[in-house]
Amino acid sequence: MKHTEPKPEKVQNLFGSIAKTYDTANDAMTFGMARLWRRKLVKVSGAKQGDSILDCATGTGDLAIDFKKVVKEGAVIGSDFSPEMLSFAGPKAKKQNLDILFEIADATQLKYSSQQFDITSIAYGIRNVGSLEKAFSELARVTKPGGKVMILETGTQKNPIVRTLISLYFTKIVPIIGGLISKEKWAYDYLNDTSRNFPGGEDFAQLLRETQLFSEVKCKTLMLGASYIYTGVVK
């Protein structure tokens, strides 16, 4: 399947337009499952107290917050190229007395040192980067050898029945819910299109393997393929 890489400016404007209602809409559209799947990613990552974490495309900071609760005194950075989304992340972490650094950064051009983090993550953001190749390379570069790149994402399903049901939900229902809450239905139409046309499961895992950046790549299916957790162990 050919993935058409989006224009960064369009993605940046899109997330800026829905930042204020993003959490509410996301909870409504996924029935709260996205929160559970982020916590599942943290568990699958094997993160432990003292680990250093970089969460890319952190949005309003939920995954960075979940990691911080586990690594405790370990350093956690949440980065995103949407200042509007980040404006909600800092106050959310502060409200929970969590010391997390949130800053603007592009997942395809990370400003961090090589081999800086034990775990690097990106949840529901990899399909919106301007270049998959650059994002894979940067995520692996800033991760220590033996460390993990963790990705949570939607994508296509092999099973035709599951594919049809999920496609109907995301095509017909998600844009309506997102549009009603955010008043920006076009944004959720676009996000649905990127999900429907993005490789999922073993197809995406194979893209990770082909980079030859990882000694091991694993894929975990969530709710019959509604989402996937990918683990790449950096060489």
Side-chain angles (χ1 to χ4, degrees):
M1 177 177 297
K2 177 65 174 175
H3 166 59
T4 302
E5 293 172 334
K7 289 181 168 40
E9 298 81 8
K10 181 174 183 177
V11 175
Q12 198 169 30
N13 291 335
L14 181 151
F15 281 104
S17 72
I18 62 175
K20 188 175 182 179
T21 56
Y22 181 80
D23 286 348
T24 301
N26 203 37
D27 284 342
M29 291 183 300
T30 68
F31 304 101
M33 294 304 294
R35 292 186 182 272
L36 296 178
W37 292 337
R38 287 188 181 93
R39 291 174 196 146
K40 182 71 172 177
L41 179 149
V42 173
K43 185 175 181 179
V44 172
S45 77
K48 61 187 183 301
Q49 189 169 335
D51 279 351
S52 57
I53 310 291
L54 172 65
D55 181 42
C56 297
T58 196
T60 60
D62 284 337
L63 184 52
I65 287 170
D66 288 338
F67 268 116
K68 185 63 177 178
K69 290 176 179 177
V70 172
V71 304
K72 301 187 184 303
E73 76 277 4
V76 176
I77 298 175
S79 69
D80 201 291
F81 75 167
S82 169
E84 293 88 353
M85 293 288 277
L86 285 179
S87 71
F88 293 94
K92 187 188 293 186
K94 188 174 182 180
K95 188 176 181 180
Q96 300 181 56
N97 294 313
L98 297 173
D99 182 17
I100 301 172
L101 174 63
F102 290 104
E103 54 190 8
I104 294 175
D106 185 337
T108 65
Q109 302 176 61
L110 295 173
K111 57 186 178 181
Y112 308 106
S113 301
S114 297
Q115 303 181 11
Q116 182 174 343
F117 302 97
D118 295 295
I119 297 170
T120 307
S121 62
I122 181 167
Y124 301 115
I126 199 70
R127 75 179 190 271
N128 294 312
V129 299
S131 166
L132 279 178
E133 182 181 0
K134 289 181 180 178
F136 291 158
S137 178
E138 283 292 270
L139 289 167
R141 179 185 65 79
V142 301
T143 307
K144 297 174 183 177
K148 294 174 182 174
V149 171
M150 303 296 305
I151 299 171
L152 172 62
E153 192 52 89
T154 57
T156 52
Q157 301 81 30
K158 292 290 187 184
N159 185 296
I161 296 175
V162 173
R163 183 170 65 245
T164 299
L165 290 174
I166 290 178
S167 178
L168 282 173
Y169 178 73
F170 280 96
T171 302
K172 304 297 182 182
I173 307 301
V174 163
I176 293 174
I177 296 174
L180 286 172
I181 294 173
S182 70
K183 311 303 182 187
E184 303 284 352
K185 182 176 178 293
W186 69 271
Y188 288 93
D189 283 330
Y190 172 80
L191 291 174
N192 169 61
D193 287 342
T194 63
S195 177
R196 189 173 66 246
N197 297 311
F198 195 72
E202 281 302 313
D203 289 338
F204 183 80
Q206 184 58 28
L207 292 180
L208 289 172
R209 294 186 185 104
E210 288 172 359
T211 66
Q212 299 186 352
L213 295 167
F214 307 100
S215 60
E216 183 180 11
V217 173
K218 292 181 180 179
C219 171
K220 184 175 184 61
T221 303
L222 302 171
M223 211 170 81
L224 301 176
S227 286
Y228 303 93
I229 293 175
Y230 306 95
T231 304
V233 180
V234 176
K235 288 183 176 178

